[in-house]
Amino acid sequence: MKEKISIIIPIYNVERYLKRCLQSVWKQSYENWECILINDGSTDESEYIAKKFVQKDKRFVLYSKENGGLSSARNEGMKKATGQYFLFLDSDDAIHKETLTRLYEAIKRDNSDVSICHYVKFSDRIPNVYNIDGSSILTKQQAVKQIIKERRRYMITAWGKLYKRELFDSIHYPVGRLNEDEFVTYKIFMKCNKISVLDMPLYFYFQRRDSIMGTYSLKRLQVLEAFKESIGYMKKNMPELYEAAFANYMFNLAVADYRIHTLKDGKKAQKKIRQEFLKKYHHYQKFSKDAICKEKKYALFLYKIFPYFFYLGAKIYLTFSDD
């Protein structure tokens, strides 16, 4: 019998989307799964919807807790899970019916520790996806590079991946932090020997306006802590990516300044961000040319000299970017 996969779904006030999400799990072609539902203090009908699926199929298991945030719910889900593999699924998203099958087959075929699929965005109906058989195998160095330097979103996110359970033996998601993936995923990859990447988009990503990531607030500046932490981590564990991590931090300081420059309560934080940027710019200038792409390098210079013109460029960049 194939090994058990634990699908972990944190739930918080998603009554409009939860049924679609859980239906996509129920339709999986891979049969040996359990779905760990963590009701994180929902005040709407989410718990009622979850209970309906528990009654429908014993592979759905529901736990309720006081609200503690996404990281807290994921960590709790991992504690409750009994499978040999973890897959994280956000409660407003969905997965293709072949997601578990394809990701599991990739791990077994390649003898890898993590398998990753691409994703596709949707705003109404779940889109049809054509079969794409291409795949690749990455070393941990290649995978971490795609996070730190190339900033490929499907590599950064917790979702869209099948993990061997033991990868999380000493790693948890930081409670109380937004952008929690930025703190964790590269550390998971550092524990891997091989990572499989499938070209097929098997994860359906739905971004709603009222989601955690849909609006910007000062709390989201917490992601800068993740980028700053990665500098020290890379310097110690993968020094060839130290400059890229530092440059990524610098670029995201500038982007954070842009994101908060119109907030009424953002002036103090904005001043602090710019001071941090200028303080570290001299050190950044010493880096090799390939520490950051040419476009971002020019953007950092523009931010240093003419912040207003950087804001204009940032507005265009972020319109077409997943950053």
Side-chain angles (χ1 to χ4, degrees):
M1 189 176 186
K2 291 182 178 179
E3 296 164 289
K4 183 188 289 186
I5 295 174
S6 297
I7 305 166
I8 298 170
I9 306 180
I11 297 171
Y12 180 70
N13 290 353
V14 283
E15 61 182 6
R16 292 175 59 190
Y17 317 105
L18 186 57
K19 181 178 179 181
R20 177 181 63 200
C21 174
L22 300 186
Q23 285 279 21
S24 75
V25 172
W26 190 66
K27 292 178 180 179
Q28 289 300 295
S29 60
Y30 190 97
E31 295 183 350
N32 191 17
W33 55 262
E34 64 175 1
C35 188
I36 306 298
L37 306 173
I38 304 297
N39 176 33
D40 193 35
S42 295
T43 57
D44 65 358
E45 294 298 310
S46 295
E47 185 176 22
Y48 173 78
I49 296 169
K51 286 180 177 179
K52 287 291 185 181
F53 278 84
V54 171
Q55 295 169 1
K56 180 179 183 179
D57 192 318
K58 64 180 181 180
R59 292 176 294 179
F60 288 97
V61 185
L62 175 63
Y63 299 94
S64 293
K65 59 185 283 294
E66 292 184 0
N67 181 254
L70 180 59
S71 289
S72 172
R74 281 182 182 160
N75 293 339
E76 185 67 16
M78 287 190 283
K79 291 179 184 178
K80 302 296 186 184
T82 63
Q84 290 79 41
Y85 296 89
F86 293 157
L87 182 137
F88 299 107
L89 173 57
D90 286 355
S91 52
D92 51 357
D93 296 336
I95 50 177
H96 189 280
K97 66 180 181 178
E98 294 294 322
T99 297
L100 297 187
T101 296
R102 297 293 186 97
L103 291 177
Y104 179 79
E105 288 176 348
I107 281 183
K108 301 311 266 186
R109 179 189 67 231
D110 302 333
N111 192 28
S112 54
D113 303 290
V114 175
S115 56
I116 303 170
C117 65
H118 284 253
Y119 71 96
V120 62
K121 294 180 179 180
F122 75 102
S123 58
D124 185 14
R125 294 181 180 178
I126 296 176
N128 293 321
V129 173
Y130 295 100
N131 186 41
I132 303 174
D133 290 327
S135 65
S136 58
I137 304 174
L138 304 179
T139 64
K140 64 182 177 183
Q141 291 85 356
Q142 291 170 324
V144 173
K145 181 181 178 181
Q146 290 190 8
I147 290 178
I148 300 298
K149 187 173 182 179
E150 299 172 13
R151 303 297 298 156
R152 299 189 183 185
R153 190 177 189 197
Y154 68 90
M155 297 294 288
I156 299 169
T157 59
W159 44 258
K161 299 172 178 62
L162 185 64
Y163 307 86
K164 286 185 176 179
R165 180 192 186 102
E166 56 266 29
L167 293 172
F168 285 91
D169 283 350
S170 59
I171 295 178
H172 299 90
Y173 287 98
V175 177
R177 294 286 189 268
L178 299 182
N179 298 97
E180 64 288 330
D181 308 348
E182 296 281 8
F183 288 88
V184 171
T185 307
Y186 68 86
K187 296 173 186 174
I188 292 292
F189 288 169
M190 287 292 289
K191 297 176 71 174
C192 298
N193 291 313
K194 291 191 288 187
I195 296 100
S196 300
V197 181
L198 306 183
D199 293 340
M200 188 172 179
L202 297 168
Y203 191 96
F204 302 122
Y205 174 75
F206 178 72
Q207 186 169 0
R208 50 196 172 97
R209 290 186 177 181
D210 64 333
S211 71
I212 295 174
M213 302 305 297
T215 57
Y216 206 89
S217 67
L218 291 181
K219 190 175 182 181
R220 285 183 62 182
L221 293 177
Q222 293 171 355
V223 70
L224 296 176
E225 298 175 29
F227 296 137
K228 193 171 185 177
E229 182 180 292
S230 72
I231 297 172
Y233 188 95
M234 293 303 146
K235 188 174 184 178
K236 179 180 179 181
N237 298 286
M238 198 174 285
E240 64 269 28
L241 286 177
Y242 164 71
E243 291 187 356
F246 197 104
N248 181 53
Y249 174 59
M250 293 291 285
F251 181 75
N252 279 281
L253 282 171
V255 170
D257 184 335
Y258 162 74
R259 288 190 183 276
I260 67 172
H261 82 281
T262 58
L263 298 180
K264 292 181 180 179
D265 57 347
K267 297 301 180 184
K268 186 177 179 180
Q270 186 184 12
K271 182 179 179 181
K272 186 176 180 180
I273 287 171
R274 183 148 180 85
Q275 287 175 342
E276 171 78 351
F277 178 90
L278 295 175
K279 178 183 176 182
K280 296 187 179 300
Y281 190 83
H282 179 69
H283 180 62
Y284 154 76
Q285 281 185 304
K286 300 176 183 178
F287 293 165
S288 60
K289 293 181 180 180
D290 63 349
I292 194 170
C293 70
K294 181 173 63 176
E295 292 78 11
K296 289 184 177 180
K297 184 176 182 179
Y298 291 152
L300 290 180
F301 178 76
L302 185 63
Y303 174 69
K304 179 178 181 290
I305 304 301
F306 300 114
Y308 174 76
F309 292 107
F310 171 82
Y311 295 159
L312 296 178
K315 183 176 182 179
I316 298 172
Y317 169 80
L318 292 172
T319 300
F320 299 99
S321 170
D322 284 330
D323 285 1

